[in-house]
Amino acid sequence: MEDDDLVDRIYEAGAVPDLWPSVLERLGDLAKVAGTVLFAIRGEAAHWTASPGLHEMSRGYFEGGYPGHDDRTARLLAYDHPGFVTDLDVFSREEWEADPIRREFFVPRGFGWGVATGIKVPTGDLLIFHGERRLEDGPVERQVVERLDLLRPHLARAALMSARIAFERAQGAVAALEMVGIPAAVLGPRGAAIATNSMLEALTPSVVQSRPTRLALANLRADEMLSTALEAAEAGLHTGPVRSIPIPAGNDSPAMVAHILPIRASAREVFTGAAAVLLMTPVTLRELPDATVIQGLFDLTPAEARIARALGGGMTIGQIASSTGASAATVRNQVQAVFGKTGMHRQADLVGLLQGLVPTASAPIPPSRLPPRK
């Protein structure tokens, strides 16, 4: 009866992916492990969700870059068994106890024994369910593996359902944005396009370029800012890099602003690998937009937005200081903040961007002058 209830919960999570952490917790209770993690391997990237008891350990494991060097996962894949396996199925006891990542990462945190299975889904991803047991509790017993194997077909079907729902959600999101006139794409953490709408595709290759590993912006400076913003989104940073990226006008396209909207942690992102939504906003106004619009486009503070509009209107720093009652030094600091957030370096460039004209510095800057990647 207990397993029947868990099967129900598994299929419920298949339809409502946010429920996977609670299912993973129930799965951990059955396996007598401290917790369970579900992760998807897509190329060189891994996306994960975990039961509450294993969340912090899993965060350290994935953010520390351990998956790419973990021989346990490699051996699991090479073993290619259609069921759950333990460490001692793919290692001798001596090999596992001497394994560098076990000794360096798991044992210091009180872990050291596990049970796992890999499930391939039609998207090309490999989903891995992995339970971690406390060191003092010893290896996972064979009867536990046999019980987990009874659940594996249900886990596979539910995971496939979640993957399909997540993909349809991504497609639906960009289609809905197209209905209101917004070119858009759902991007993975390194910029790979998971879903795009036809309006964004129409910007290829003059504004957007489809490269072998990711979606890119044709303008080098804007593309560097896009790459940095995606790195910040993947790391979960809320501040720092510019996320409203100005793109100078070209011969066949108006000036645009690319907005990066990070997708926050949710079990459903395990199945798409989605990290952010890219929205493209044309700047076609011939009159300066008001300060509220400028603030929204470039993540400016209200004061910075007023400064930007004043600069766009041709006012000097002295004139802005006189009209606002601020000191010239304060205005200069705000001007530098505006330039930093818009990616511009001169007042003429900012005027051109805000009016939808070709900025005077629209030529791509040489790679040697691009800011270094973090």
Side-chain angles (χ1 to χ4, degrees):
M1 292 296 294
E2 178 186 5
D3 286 4
D4 288 345
D5 182 64
L6 179 52
V7 170
D8 290 340
R9 302 287 78 78
I10 288 170
Y11 284 115
E12 187 177 9
V16 185
D18 288 343
L19 298 179
W20 275 108
S22 64
V23 167
L24 294 173
E25 185 171 27
R26 291 281 301 276
L27 200 64
D29 292 341
L30 183 148
K32 300 177 183 178
V33 295
T36 310
V37 59
L38 163 61
F39 61 100
I41 297 176
R42 179 179 296 108
E44 297 180 356
H47 315 282
W48 62 277
T49 188
S51 57
L54 210 63
H55 191 271
E56 287 307 310
M57 191 278 285
S58 299
R59 181 189 298 276
Y61 177 78
F62 287 101
E63 292 184 357
Y66 288 97
H69 309 284
D70 192 345
D71 196 37
R72 180 163 59 168
T73 301
R75 292 197 183 205
L76 169 67
L77 302 183
Y79 195 63
D80 197 24
H81 174 66
F84 279 84
V85 298
T86 71
D87 303 307
L88 299 185
D89 290 320
V90 296
F91 290 90
S92 69
R93 190 172 187 127
E94 292 76 17
E95 285 177 328
W96 178 232
E97 290 181 347
D99 184 81
I101 290 182
R102 182 183 190 268
R103 297 175 63 178
E104 173 188 335
F105 182 84
F106 291 106
V107 170
R109 290 163 176 79
F111 299 98
W113 304 104
V115 59
T117 189
I119 298 170
K120 296 178 181 178
V121 295
T123 59
D125 297 343
L126 177 68
L127 299 176
I128 295 179
F129 291 86
H130 200 123
E132 292 289 350
R133 181 175 279 191
R134 293 285 178 185
L135 187 63
E136 63 269 20
D137 294 334
V140 176
E141 301 82 2
R142 185 54 49 189
Q143 60 266 33
V144 170
V145 173
E146 292 171 355
R147 196 171 179 188
L148 289 171
D149 279 344
L150 295 176
L151 294 172
R152 188 178 183 274
H154 306 296
L155 291 169
R157 284 190 286 267
L160 175 59
M161 187 191 311
S162 286
R164 191 69 228 175
I165 288 172
F167 180 73
E168 293 295 339
R169 182 180 286 124
Q171 292 283 15
V174 295
L177 290 166
E178 182 168 352
M179 292 177 66
V180 294
I182 300 177
V186 176
L187 303 180
R190 291 171 176 79
I194 295 169
T196 60
N197 62 24
S198 62
M199 293 187 70
L200 188 90
E201 292 164 4
L203 298 175
T204 305
S206 59
V207 179
V208 176
Q209 295 180 345
S210 180
R211 297 182 184 170
T213 58
R214 68 180 183 95
L215 183 145
L217 299 175
N219 180 271
L220 291 180
R221 180 167 58 188
D223 189 55
E224 180 71 16
M225 296 171 73
L226 172 63
S227 179
T228 302
L230 287 170
E231 289 174 3
E234 183 178 12
L237 301 178
H238 295 277
T239 59
V242 174
R243 287 185 179 156
S244 291
I245 301 167
I247 304 172
N251 294 332
D252 302 318
S253 61
M256 307 190 81
V257 179
H259 302 279
I260 303 299
L261 283 65
I263 296 176
R264 289 296 162 234
S266 167
R268 64 176 173 265
E269 306 322 328
V270 173
F271 301 98
T272 61
V277 176
L278 171 69
L279 308 179
M280 304 292 288
T281 305
V283 180
T284 57
L285 297 173
R286 293 299 171 180
E287 297 181 359
L288 288 178
D290 64 31
T292 302
V293 172
I294 296 173
Q295 180 184 351
L297 285 176
F298 298 106
D299 303 330
L300 303 179
T301 67
E304 290 167 352
R306 290 191 291 271
I307 294 292
R309 193 173 195 281
L311 288 172
M315 293 180 68
T316 65
I317 288 177
Q319 290 170 331
I320 295 172
S322 297
S323 65
T324 61
S327 69
T330 296
V331 174
R332 287 193 187 93
N333 288 336
Q334 290 174 320
V335 168
Q336 290 305 310
V338 168
F339 284 160
K341 291 182 179 181
T342 60
M344 299 290 104
H345 300 282
R346 299 189 302 173
Q347 185 170 350
D349 299 343
L350 182 64
V351 172
L353 176 69
L354 295 180
Q355 292 184 345
L357 302 177
V358 179
T360 56
S362 59
I365 59 178
S368 61
R369 295 182 59 192
L370 289 172
R373 287 189 179 220
K374 296 181 179 179

